[in-house]
Amino acid sequence: MVMQLQQIGVDRGSVAIVDDVSLPVLAGKVTMLLGPNGAGKSTLLKVMAGLETPARGQIELQQDNPLSWSRQRWAANVSFLPQLSALSFPLTVKEVVALGAMAQGNSVRAQRQQLQQALQLWDIDYLAEQQVRWLSGGEQQRVQLARSWLQAQHGQLWLLDEPLSALDLRHQQQCLQRAREYVQQGRAAVMVIHDLNLAWQCADYVALLCCGRLVCAGEPTEVLTSERLTDVFQVPVEVERGVVRWC
């Protein structure tokens, strides 16, 4: 196990955005957080990234309490891709991706090699000298994915909030493949997605949230049932032979 969340609670004023959520983050597994808008998925991911301090509950990471860690130690162990990564500065693609290597403290030569590898793996090497702010939405997303992937290489946990947004089919597959390769090294990846069919096909473990609470967690075949999805999403859902359909 890479991380353990125990009875996590996050409040906004008098409202509990996340309430009493306990969840293991398992080594060697791609975990997907599912649920309707406002379910608490992004907030929970920020708790895992150390960007949101819970009002209640405990976190265990590498057999330690990371809530007392420095920002540098968090960055060296956990990589986080937020849902929105707006960039208005005139930075080039290679400059943004290179930020992912800064937390690791490697030599300049090693960082250059890692940068080139990231550019090639995410199919953006031909964009290296272009300013990120002038790219298409899908190209910008691949730049941010490459940056977060590079940061994750020396850590144990890669967190991705809606990483497939703006990506075409080829690059969705590429992103999921990179996540699979990452966890095969004994690490963990957690991502928020909305495509239930992709979750069924690609997740090792899913957590279904609603109204800030954990409804169910486990393997997709256990969690993604017609009755449960109909109840959570408030629309008729049918699951048959691994295919999720709206009725």
Side-chain angles (χ1 to χ4, degrees):
M1 186 181 301
V2 173
M3 177 180 279
Q4 176 69 52
L5 305 178
Q6 297 179 339
Q7 298 179 309
I8 295 296
V10 178
D11 300 333
R12 295 284 184 271
S14 60
V15 178
I17 303 300
V18 173
D19 189 18
D20 194 29
V21 172
S22 296
L23 185 70
V25 179
L26 304 171
K29 305 290 186 183
V30 174
T31 297
M32 295 189 179
L33 304 183
L34 311 172
N37 295 338
K41 304 181 298 296
S42 294
T43 300
L44 190 62
L45 210 65
K46 289 177 183 177
V47 170
M48 296 182 193
L51 300 176
E52 183 88 50
T53 301
R56 297 172 298 284
Q58 298 179 335
I59 307 173
E60 184 178 309
L61 177 60
Q62 295 185 345
Q63 299 180 333
D64 194 4
N65 176 9
L67 294 178
S68 62
W69 286 5
S70 67
R71 299 306 312 155
Q72 184 175 3
R73 188 174 178 187
W74 269 105
N77 286 276
V78 180
S79 177
F80 173 58
L81 176 73
Q83 188 176 133
L84 298 174
S85 302
L87 183 66
S88 57
F89 297 104
L91 297 177
T92 65
V93 167
K94 69 178 183 181
E95 288 172 334
V96 171
V97 176
L99 295 174
M102 293 182 63
Q104 311 308 333
N106 294 328
S107 67
V108 173
R109 181 178 179 182
Q111 288 185 25
R112 287 174 179 168
Q113 291 175 339
Q114 293 166 349
L115 170 61
Q116 190 58 41
Q117 181 186 21
L119 292 171
Q120 292 173 349
L121 279 175
W122 290 95
D123 193 25
I124 52 174
D125 49 331
Y126 69 99
L127 299 170
E129 301 298 335
Q130 295 192 35
Q131 289 189 28
V132 174
R133 58 180 177 169
W134 304 133
L135 301 180
S136 73
E139 289 169 336
Q140 290 189 36
Q141 183 74 342
R142 278 152 51 204
V143 171
Q144 296 297 343
L145 280 163
R147 176 197 56 75
S148 68
W149 174 88
L150 185 54
Q151 181 183 344
Q153 292 312 295
H154 295 281
Q156 295 298 311
L157 184 56
W158 190 17
L159 306 174
L160 303 147
D161 196 351
E162 297 192 35
L164 307 182
S165 63
L167 297 184
D168 58 31
L169 288 176
R170 174 191 169 199
H171 292 106
Q172 286 184 23
Q173 182 185 51
Q174 181 187 69
C175 178
L176 292 167
Q177 179 61 32
R178 295 288 93 83
R180 176 61 54 199
E181 293 166 355
Y182 185 78
V183 303
Q184 285 174 348
Q185 301 173 55
R187 299 181 282 194
V190 181
M191 60 177 65
V192 172
I193 70 166
H194 286 286
D195 190 324
L196 300 179
N197 284 298
L198 273 180
W200 185 287
Q201 296 169 18
C202 302
D204 300 307
Y205 194 84
V206 298
L208 183 63
L209 293 102
C210 186
C211 301
R213 298 185 68 87
L214 181 65
V215 177
C216 189
E219 295 183 2
T221 53
E222 301 171 344
V223 175
L224 304 181
T225 66
S226 301
E227 296 79 7
R228 190 173 287 125
L229 293 177
T230 295
D231 184 55
V232 166
F233 288 97
Q234 294 295 291
V235 293
V237 177
E238 183 178 281
V239 181
E240 184 176 357
R241 298 180 181 179
V243 178
V244 181
R245 296 188 181 92
W246 313 122
C247 301

